[in-house]
Amino acid sequence: MAHVKEGFEDGPGGGGPFDSLAFLLSQLGFVASRGFHQALLPLGIEPRHFLLMRHVLRDEGRSQQSLGEMLRIPPSRMVALVDQLEERGLLERRANPSDRRARALFVTPAGRRLMGKAFQVAIEHNARIGETLSAEERSRLIALLQKLAAENGLLMGVHPGLTGDDPKAAS
Amino acid sequence: MAHVKEGFEDGPGGGGPFDSLAFLLSQLGFVASRGFHQALLPLGIEPRHFLLMRHVLRDEGRSQQSLGEMLRIPPSRMVALVDQLEERGLLERRANPSDRRARALFVTPAGRRLMGKAFQVAIEHNARIGETLSAEERSRLIALLQKLAAENGLLMGVHPGLTGDDPKAAS
DNA sequence: TATTGTTATACTCTATAACTATA
DNA sequence: TATAGTTATAGAGTATAACAATA
């Protein structure tokens, strides 16, 4: 382990900077998640609700299961999420005429209004994260991260943290 | 929300790519964390143990509380973490002659051997994450992330996910 | 009286699997 | 017999606060 260049230069025994790509990504990802979570607090929803609502908005009338499969959220978790959003009057479960077992999901007018605000929050949060970089730095950074995301099989708009494959701890 | 350039171009109503800086960071951070967690599985420890051991290694003999303050881990959580590592024979609580309330932490020889392997795992994991980038892309990416980390008040080697300020959900 | 570490308790989140109603 | 959704249950992880030993 003496020939490594980026990060871990300190080796097993010592101190030194811990500036590996993996660690930086993990740290910054955590900060980004936490920041968005906090930014949404005034609206009374969490990032997972935002993400789910966003996908319902994109294709209203789908069943819970169909959405759950796409976002890789297990059924019982979908029930809880939709319950929370329905109680708050943001989402609606309607009957599906062609299959009375299924529940078609729709966003209510209140849900639409709230999502408008939530998008605003997301935009502001996003701007805040990158505000210390120049426009050019920012776009180069985004391009590099996109390349990394593509190589790691990430789907745009589907956050792996929603799937329940919990990393458990930090790194 | 019509004048924004990076990410969120789709607006409240629509679909489209979700390639904001914040979302990319959150996604990739999650993937990096999860990957490291899985890479450590064969060694029987988790990233939090690795991080804690690493700090004990750096300055042996410190008290639990002193370490907990530095890493911002609450006392009862420190007890659980140290318990787990002590049961596995990787860490030792020794008496502190000058203050018999405090417990001085030391890494055992087995702990040292395991940390050697864990560093190797970390190095390999780090290399895997960035392997699709060229050396130049990689160093540019790291430089940009470091700048971002500095601006967001991140401490090198201290992962915010260890502090218990849970983001709760993803995004 | 304050502090270090520990333990007890309660709470949240989650997955698993049983269950119901439809198909 | 299979499927969509729900509910019940049990497990892990956490924080809070009470506690014991020592200062």
Side-chain angles (χ1 to χ4, degrees):
Chain A
M1 59 198 74
H3 60 297
V4 174
K5 288 302 191 325
E6 292 140 1
F8 305 103
E9 305 86 353
D10 38 335
F18 206 75
D19 54 359
S20 77
L21 177 55
F23 193 72
L24 280 166
L25 285 173
S26 177
Q27 277 187 311
L28 285 165
F30 188 89
V31 168
S33 293
R34 183 179 55 188
F36 189 42
H37 186 263
Q38 287 168 345
L40 282 179
L41 279 184
L43 298 186
I45 61 169
E46 297 185 13
R48 48 181 151 196
H49 302 122
F50 176 74
L51 253 354
L52 175 54
M53 294 273 289
R54 196 162 172 286
H55 283 272
V56 177
L57 265 182
R58 175 144 64 190
D59 186 11
E60 289 191 286
R62 295 180 60 173
S63 71
Q64 279 185 206
Q65 175 159 303
S66 141
L67 263 168
E69 272 168 14
M70 186 216 255
L71 297 173
R72 302 189 38 209
I73 302 175
S76 69
R77 230 173 143 181
M78 277 297 288
V79 172
L81 282 173
V82 175
D83 277 353
Q84 290 160 9
L85 292 168
E86 198 171 38
E87 277 163 24
R88 291 215 39 209
L90 305 172
L91 221 56
E92 241 180 34
R93 281 189 252 237
R94 296 193 200 152
N96 181 336
S98 62
D99 184 345
R100 284 192 303 177
R101 292 172 304 180
R103 320 282 240 110
L105 297 183
F106 290 85
V107 178
T108 66
R112 264 169 231 286
R113 283 193 296 276
L114 184 125
M115 281 303 279
K117 291 183 201 161
F119 271 101
Q120 194 57 44
V121 163
I123 289 165
E124 283 160 12
H125 167 63
N126 189 52
R128 202 175 324 117
I129 289 253
E131 69 186 348
T132 59
L133 300 179
S134 73
E136 196 205 330
E137 286 174 323
R138 207 155 44 227
S139 59
R140 253 192 312 175
L141 176 55
I142 289 178
L144 288 165
L145 292 175
Q146 279 173 335
K147 189 168 178 181
L148 225 46
E151 297 291 346
N152 283 277
L154 288 178
L155 306 173
M156 289 294 96
V158 178
H159 196 292
L162 224 52
T163 68
D165 307 334
D166 203 318
K168 224 66 170 207
S171 150
Chain B
M1 57 197 76
H3 61 295
V4 173
K5 288 301 192 326
E6 292 138 359
F8 305 102
E9 306 86 353
D10 38 336
F18 206 75
D19 54 358
S20 76
L21 177 55
F23 194 72
L24 280 165
L25 285 174
S26 177
Q27 277 187 311
L28 285 165
F30 189 88
V31 168
S33 292
R34 185 179 54 188
F36 189 42
H37 186 262
Q38 287 167 345
L40 281 178
L41 280 184
L43 298 186
I45 61 170
E46 296 184 13
R48 48 181 149 197
H49 303 121
F50 176 75
L51 253 354
L52 175 55
M53 294 273 288
R54 196 162 171 286
H55 282 272
V56 175
L57 221 37
R58 175 144 65 189
D59 186 11
E60 289 190 288
R62 293 180 62 171
S63 72
Q64 279 185 207
Q65 174 158 306
S66 140
L67 262 168
E69 274 167 13
M70 186 217 255
L71 297 173
R72 303 192 33 212
I73 301 173
S76 68
R77 229 172 145 180
M78 277 297 288
V79 171
L81 282 173
V82 175
D83 277 354
Q84 290 160 8
L85 292 168
E86 197 170 39
E87 276 162 26
R88 293 215 36 209
L90 305 173
L91 222 56
E92 242 179 34
R93 283 189 249 237
R94 297 192 199 153
N96 181 335
S98 62
D99 184 345
R100 286 190 302 175
R101 293 172 305 180
R103 320 281 241 111
L105 297 182
F106 290 85
V107 179
T108 66
R112 264 170 231 285
R113 284 193 296 276
L114 183 124
M115 281 303 279
K117 292 182 200 160
F119 271 101
Q120 194 59 42
V121 163
I123 289 165
E124 284 159 12
H125 170 246
N126 188 53
R128 202 175 325 119
I129 288 253
E131 71 187 348
T132 59
L133 301 179
S134 72
E136 198 205 329
E137 285 175 323
R138 208 155 43 230
S139 59
R140 253 194 311 177
L141 175 55
I142 289 178
L144 287 166
L145 292 175
Q146 279 173 335
K147 189 167 177 182
L148 224 46
E151 298 290 345
N152 283 278
L154 288 178
L155 306 172
M156 289 293 98
V158 178
H159 196 293
L162 225 51
T163 67
D165 306 334
D166 204 319
K168 224 68 170 208
S171 161

